[in-house]
Amino acid sequence: MRKTLALVGVLTLLPLPAQAETPAQALTANVVHDPAKGTFSLSVQRDGRTVVLPSPLGIRTATADLTSGLRQVARSTRTVSEKYRMTTGKRLDRTVRHTETRYSLSGAGNARFDLVVRVAEDGVAYRYELPEPTDVLSEASAFAIPAEANAWLMPYNPQHENRRFRTTAGAAAVGEYGNPSLFQVGEDFVLLTESNVDGRYAGSSLRHTGGGTYQVQLKDQRVTGARIGPWRTVIVGDLAGVTESTLVDDLAEPSRIADTSWIRPGKVAWSWLSEHSSPRDFERQKVYVDFAARNGWPYVLVDEGWSDKWVPELTRYARAKGVDILLWFHWNQLDTAAERQTMLPLLQRWGVKGVKVDFMESDSQSRYQFYDAILADTAQRKLMINFHGSTIPHGLARTWPHLLTMEAVHGAEQLPLPDGNPIQPFTRNVVGSMDFTPVSLEVGPKVTSIGHEIALPVVFESGWTHFADKPEAYDRYPEALRFLNQVPTVWHQTEVAGGYPGETAVFARRNGDRWFVGGIAVGDARTLTAPLSFLGAGPWLVETIRDNGGRDDVVRSTARMSSSDTLSVRVPANGGFTAVICPATQGTTTCYKPIPQVPQTSLTVTPTTSVTAEPGSSFEVTGSFTVSSTRPVMDVELKPSVPDGWTVTGNPVTTRVLRQGEVLSGRWTVHVPAGARPGGFEVPVAAEYLVPDFPRVHVAKAVRGLVPLTGQAYVSDLSFDSATNGWGPVERDMSNGESGGGDGRPLSIAGTQYTKGLGVHAESEVVISLGGTCRTFTAKAGMDDETTSPGSSAFQVIGDGRVLHQTGVLRTGDAPVALTVALTGVRVLALKVTDGGDGKNFDHADWAEAHLTCS
């Protein structure tokens, strides 16, 4: 445990000496003025030892060079005291006590800015504040580290996924390195990073310019309209102190979400890494839902490839089992306000609880403005979020507590060797939740032990922990799975129990009255130790889970221990261990808790066949909800939900308690507005109830129907039942373009442009419900001229599952094929494009002037 120490910030105006330090002053920040050059620099000391050498300060804007010729105008000091609560992180409750000194500085032409410096128990930070919004060109900001200091660095890339490696501050090659960067200066450790970066500024890297100097390099050549810059952050202490630091969050802006009750961290079953094609498979995703429900994991993430054709049904299936669905998106699918205004309410209606947004891969100001926008919009819709292919955490999870995790790591998706695992908790994971996607038992290189893998959810912190392997793999290791079912993702306290970057890492984290210990090592077999001094008065029951030889399942043993004891575990090469510790009260034989399950229930709805609903008409729906289990359910509500603009006659049906065999029934009349859009619809009837250990459980079944199409219409103006596409979304009245929505060009086939139609990419399928009212479908089919290499596709018109017409293979440059297809009696139309037999690359295809004529 680290003791609280007094903090000071020291300003020295040369040639005067620095203020004297007292033994209680652990950290000092010396801001030094050189009056001859008019420059300012900052150095940092810990217990009198210099850990950051004098390093330049200053900023260059479009109107002034504020790096030299500076003088101090004023200075003031205050104490910053705050308390706040997180939804994720190394501990939930946080206390902030910083000494803040503001230096008002003036340069040539009386241009001014403020240098704001904060000194905390766990580090030093500074930022620049300009008097009015100004374009920023660069910063003089740099950190001079003693050249002989050990260093753990990551070559910069915008997705922050390169491997970290060990070197020294001076020996590292000249070039860019990513935040955070860790250095060992004698007995002290220094972690360099940044905090409170958002769309008002740009992100940065650390450019090693030689010696041990690391220059802050902005990722935009011009940051527009900046006024308050990010905190340049130096976390300082022993290794435990740096690792347990919350300084990055402490410097961030307070939460913008008043009610966080809907935000729920937890374990996630995730299929993409172990079987890439599975997110396209409804039945396979149900297997993951069943596995999650059986093991008490609250979420399933459906990654790239999901279809709106079946996600609503999967969501209903999952919620009835106490499991919620998360969905993957390429960021280009949500990068405009219009796309978010369309998609996010739809996700809410489906019952989806969160999104994984991927491939941002930029630290530019414009990309940070996207982060700002989507965080605000998802918060408004009560959708949790996970950023992949992203920047590092900058305190965003304090400002936006529904941000459950971020990637920015060389994680399991890279099929990494284990030597990086004991570096990540001391570097990347220090600054925020890290979506490493751990516990690869059968997927990946399989060079770590099972004990090492199951320790990762303790050693690594993530508000959502996405497990990397498939259900069958975990089921083959039942003792390992039992531990995974116990480990939480929310921590009240974190202690570093031992380790050294790149060699070992031993962490103890507390949730409620239980401690979870995880230890990992790379290299030869050895003994890992964890002094139990973090425990309070005992005795304590300690259940240790360790390897059992080869890659066999782990074994569990039990002992009684006290806070004066040390837990020692022999681990194999690249091995690890875990432990669960709880109070050894009378009669307690295990720290493991039962896995909660939702009660067995059933719901029936009518009509059971498809409803044809003319605009302006009404129809009746019913629902009956029954409890099959002996355990009663509480606060039950049964009601339908209808599409926007539709109305219902009849109130929800409720009961305080519903016991085994009892039935709750309701009857309602649904009114279809006169202006209802044609196409398929769903009216879900849902029962919601409360049982211990779960949020409100949602059991629903949908009444399905169709508003028939009449008159004439272009297909691009209609609602789709579903739309799948081989690259990006299906585009309306433009070519397929790139991976984002709305990024196509005018539809063009063999040099002729068309104003109406669909732009797609093989394999593609657009499904539209017609209701048997349409007579003909017409279109001009062909490959779009935007293909940069010859593409080829075949077009199919399918009615009620039967191929009504197909073109054969068409290639880039071929004249469009005119289609006229009879649709008499067809209820469901599908427009399908295949890859032509030679792969889908370059297969941008157009349904130009796609048109329906109906009764």
Side-chain angles (χ1 to χ4, degrees), residues 675-810:
R677 293 189 65 180
F681 66 83
E682 290 187 339
V683 175
V685 179
E688 287 195 347
Y689 64 86
L690 282 176
V691 287
D693 301 316
F694 289 92
R696 285 188 70 81
V697 181
H698 182 98
V699 181
K701 284 190 175 180
V703 173
R704 294 181 172 85
L706 173 73
V707 177
L709 183 65
T710 59
Q712 301 191 35
Y714 284 105
V715 171
S716 58
D717 296 332
L718 300 176
S719 297
F720 302 154
D721 288 9
S722 65
T724 57
N725 211 41
W727 174 247
V730 171
E731 297 285 10
R732 300 173 186 264
D733 302 327
M734 66 179 68
S735 68
N736 185 87
E738 299 301 328
S739 60
D743 60 7
R745 304 172 179 83
L747 296 162
S748 178
I749 305 173
T752 300
Q753 291 190 357
Y754 302 89
T755 58
K756 301 294 293 181
L758 304 178
V760 301
H761 188 294
E763 302 274 340
S764 171
E765 184 178 53
V766 174
V767 178
I768 304 167
S769 290
L770 304 179
T773 61
C774 294
R775 297 195 303 271
T776 56
F777 167 76
T778 59
K780 294 182 174 67
M783 305 305 295
D784 194 274
D785 292 333
E786 74 182 1
T787 55
T788 56
S789 180
S792 63
S793 292
F795 295 70
Q796 294 181 338
V797 180
I798 301 171
D800 295 334
R802 181 170 57 91
V803 176
L804 304 178
H805 186 88
Q806 53 188 348
T807 63
V809 175
L810 303 180

Side-chain angles (χ1 to χ4, degrees), residues 169-296:
V174 171
E176 286 186 77
Y177 298 94
N179 290 307
S181 290
L182 179 67
F183 302 88
Q184 182 183 11
V185 185
E187 62 190 273
D188 305 304
F189 285 81
V190 175
L191 189 77
L192 303 180
T193 190
E194 54 187 353
S195 176
N196 207 43
V197 197
D198 56 25
R200 297 171 295 181
Y201 215 78
S204 69
S205 61
L206 295 169
R207 174 168 284 278
H208 183 214
T209 58
T213 299
Y214 289 80
Q215 170 77 42
V216 172
Q217 179 166 310
L218 302 182
K219 305 318 296 179
D220 280 332
Q221 293 183 349
R222 191 181 191 98
V223 179
T224 60
R227 196 180 77 77
I228 298 177
W231 291 102
R232 304 293 167 215
T233 306
V234 188
I235 301 174
V236 181
D238 59 17
L239 184 59
V242 167
T243 307
E244 295 166 17
S245 167
T246 62
L247 185 58
V248 169
D249 292 332
D250 296 345
L251 294 166
E253 292 186 1
S255 173
R256 297 181 186 174
I257 301 176
D259 175 20
T260 61
S261 60
W262 55 275
I263 301 168
R264 194 162 67 110
K267 292 171 283 199
V268 187
W270 173 58
S271 68
W272 181 86
L273 183 60
S274 60
E275 39 185 339
H276 288 352
S277 63
S278 62
R280 299 180 179 273
D281 187 337
F282 172 55
E283 293 299 328
R284 185 60 178 159
Q285 291 306 306
K286 288 170 66 177
V287 172
Y288 279 81
V289 168
D290 293 342
F291 173 80
R294 190 165 64 247
N295 292 285

Side-chain angles (χ1 to χ4, degrees), residues 262 340-341 344-346 348-349 352-353 375-384:
W262 55 275
R340 295 191 295 274
Q341 289 166 6
L344 299 185
L346 181 62
Q348 273 190 308
R349 288 197 295 273
V352 170
K353 295 300 182 183
L375 283 165
D377 288 348
T378 49
Q380 182 184 18
R381 294 289 176 181
K382 293 188 176 180
L383 291 166
M384 294 170 281

Side-chain angles (χ1 to χ4, degrees), residues 1 240 244 493-499 504-509 515-519 527-536 540 542 561-569 577 579 581:
M1 298 284 291
E244 295 166 17
Q493 187 177 346
T494 291
E495 300 285 342
V496 178
T504 63
V506 184
F507 279 66
R509 303 188 194 266
W515 284 90
F516 290 79
V517 181
T527 297
L528 292 178
T529 60
L532 301 182
S533 54
F534 52 82
L535 297 174
W540 295 85
V542 179
M561 305 181 79
S562 71
S563 60
S564 61
D565 292 325
T566 295
L567 181 62
S568 298
V569 181
F577 79 96
I581 306 175

Side-chain angles (χ1 to χ4, degrees), residues 256-594:
R256 297 181 186 174
I257 301 176
D259 175 20
T260 61
S261 60
W262 55 275
I263 301 168
R264 194 162 67 110
K267 292 171 283 199
V268 187
W270 173 58
S271 68
W272 181 86
L273 183 60
S274 60
E275 39 185 339
H276 288 352
S277 63
S278 62
R280 299 180 179 273
D281 187 337
F282 172 55
E283 293 299 328
R284 185 60 178 159
Q285 291 306 306
K286 288 170 66 177
V287 172
Y288 279 81
V289 168
D290 293 342
F291 173 80
R294 190 165 64 247
N295 292 285
W297 300 7
Y299 298 105
V300 167
L301 168 63
V302 189
D303 214 285
E304 180 182 14
W306 60 266
S307 170
D308 54 5
K309 183 187 301 185
W310 49 257
V311 160
E313 183 61 33
L314 178 70
T315 303
R316 287 190 286 267
Y317 179 83
R319 295 178 77 186
K321 294 174 176 284
V323 175
D324 284 312
I325 296 297
L326 314 173
L327 291 182
W328 176 96
F329 285 87
H330 193 292
W331 81 279
N332 278 341
Q333 296 172 281
L334 297 170
D335 65 332
T336 67
E339 288 170 335
R340 295 191 295 274
Q341 289 166 6
T342 298
M343 181 54 68
L344 299 185
L346 181 62
L347 299 182
Q348 273 190 308
R349 288 197 295 273
W350 289 349
V352 170
K353 295 300 182 183
V355 292
K356 171 183 175 179
V357 184
D358 208 344
F359 293 117
M360 283 74 68
E361 297 183 349
S362 171
D363 283 298
S364 66
Q365 183 181 22
S366 64
R367 202 58 46 86
Y368 281 29
Q369 289 167 348
F370 164 74
Y371 285 122
D372 295 345
I374 195 169
L375 283 165
D377 288 348
T378 49
Q380 182 184 18
R381 294 289 176 181
K382 293 188 176 180
L383 291 166
M384 294 170 281
I385 194 165
N386 163 23
F387 288 129
H388 257 235
S390 69
T391 187
I392 61 167
H394 299 125
L396 279 175
R398 178 186 179 186
T399 309
W400 297 104
H402 68 307
L403 174 57
L404 272 296
T405 192
M406 302 175 74
E407 187 183 25
V409 65
H410 188 80
E413 292 181 25
Q414 312 292 331
L415 305 180
L417 295 174
D419 56 332
N421 290 355
I423 300 178
Q424 304 294 3
F426 302 117
T427 52
R428 161 63 181 87
N429 213 178
V430 173
V431 300
S433 287
M434 180 178 77
D435 196 12
F436 185 91
T437 66
V439 193
S440 301
L441 302 185
E442 295 181 359
V443 66
K446 294 186 284 191
V447 294
T448 53
S449 74
I450 303 302
H452 183 117
E453 288 295 323
I454 67 170
L456 295 180
V458 180
V459 175
F460 297 160
E461 182 276 320
S462 183
W464 274 339
T465 297
H466 298 85
F467 289 103
D469 229 318
K470 63 182 69 174
E472 296 82 357
Y474 293 124
D475 285 337
R476 281 189 279 272
Y477 295 87
E479 194 61 56
L481 179 57
R482 288 187 193 99
F483 172 78
L484 298 180
N485 292 346
Q486 296 296 314
V487 68
T489 69
V490 172
W491 305 109
H492 296 97
Q493 187 177 346
T494 291
E495 300 285 342
V496 178
Y500 189 78
E503 297 178 9
T504 63
V506 184
F507 279 66
R509 303 188 194 266
R510 179 178 62 85
N511 176 281
D513 65 352
R514 292 194 299 175
W515 284 90
F516 290 79
V517 181
I520 60 173
V522 295
D524 295 338
R526 68 188 72 197
T527 297
L528 292 178
T529 60
L532 301 182
S533 54
F534 52 82
L535 297 174
W540 295 85
L541 185 66
V542 179
E543 295 189 74
T544 305
I545 302 96
R546 68 187 77 206
D547 287 299
N548 191 29
R551 286 186 63 80
D552 292 340
D553 197 8
V554 290
V555 294
R556 179 163 46 126
S557 59
T558 302
R560 287 176 176 255
M561 305 181 79
S562 71
S563 60
S564 61
D565 292 325
T566 295
L567 181 62
S568 298
V569 181
R570 185 69 180 173
V571 301
N574 296 327
F577 79 96
T578 58
V580 187
I581 306 175
C582 63
T585 56
Q586 185 174 2
T588 300
T589 59
T590 180
C591 297
Y592 283 24
K593 296 181 178 180

Side-chain angles (χ1 to χ4, degrees), residues 1-18:
M1 298 284 291
R2 293 173 289 122
K3 61 181 181 179
T4 302
L5 299 170
L7 312 171
V8 297
V10 180
L11 170 68
T12 303
L13 297 174
L14 292 181
L16 299 177

Side-chain angles (χ1 to χ4, degrees), residues 619-674:
F619 61 94
E620 190 175 83
V621 299
T622 69
S624 295
F625 179 65
T626 307
V627 177
S628 307
S629 299
T630 57
R631 184 168 42 145
V633 300
M634 311 296 293
D635 295 330
V636 190
E637 181 182 64
L638 182 66
K639 67 178 182 180
S641 57
V642 296
D644 291 342
W646 296 30
T647 57
V648 175
T649 299
N651 295 322
V653 181
T654 62
T655 184
R656 181 74 182 87
V657 181
L658 194 67
R659 296 177 174 84
Q660 184 179 25
E662 295 179 341
V663 180
L664 184 67
S665 298
R667 184 182 301 271
W668 305 269
T669 301
V670 177
H671 303 283
V672 184

